[in-house]
Amino acid sequence: VQLVESGGGLVQAGGSLRLSCAASGFTFDDYAIGWFRQAPGKEREGVSCMNSNDGNTYYADFVKGRFTITSDNAKNTVYLQMNSLKPEDTAVYYCATVWYGDTCHGVRMADFGSWGQGNQVTVSS
């Protein structure tokens, strides 16, 4: 399993970024993929997840209405569109696969087994 994130960077508050998570080494449709983030000095927290079977999505309350998770199955890629970014969104963002299958049950770290290397997102005020 390989997950490679890209698309991070520096943006001003109120701006947008789109993160990509390119997946390989497994059957893309068989596993749900989610996004997490970890800010300096803080624990990793769940951001969003998408079921690979029915496309249902889950979002943490602090990103609802601002972030959107989508997938392109032809490209084996999951995206996280981040709009109205805030300085508190600054973190390293990780994508990860649910270890047991194609369905998320929220965005709980214990459900995720394979992780990307992380991608820095910095939002300036």
Side-chain angles (χ1 to χ4, degrees), residues 9-103:
L10 174 65
V11 65
Q12 288 188 332
S16 299
L17 284 173
R18 188 179 77 159
L19 301 180
S20 300
C21 174
S24 61
F26 64 99
T27 303
F28 188 72
D29 291 347
D30 287 350
Y31 295 93
I33 294 181
W35 288 94
F36 290 76
R37 70 186 188 184
Q38 187 166 17
K42 295 187 177 181
E43 293 187 352
R44 195 170 297 187
E45 60 184 359
V47 174
S48 181
C49 185
M50 172 181 274
N51 291 351
S52 60
N53 55 354
D54 59 13
N56 279 352
T57 57
Y58 299 85
Y59 296 95
D61 287 344
F62 52 80
V63 302
K64 281 181 180 177
R66 300 189 299 124
F67 290 13
T68 303
I69 187 171
T70 58
S71 69
D72 184 336
N73 288 7
K75 296 182 178 180
N76 285 4
T77 300
V78 173
Y79 303 97
L80 185 69
Q81 178 67 43
M82 305 184 294
N83 298 328
S84 302
L85 283 161
K86 305 174 182 180
E88 51 264 43
D89 294 318
T90 295
V92 177
Y93 283 72
Y94 301 86
C95 62
T97 60
V98 170
W99 62 264
Y100 52 77
D102 57 12
T103 304

Side-chain angles (χ1 to χ4, degrees), residues 105-122:
H105 297 287
V107 199
R108 308 178 302 194
M109 278 197 61
D111 293 344
F112 291 80
S114 296
W115 295 82
Q117 84 285 356
N119 203 235
Q120 178 70 46
V121 171
T122 303

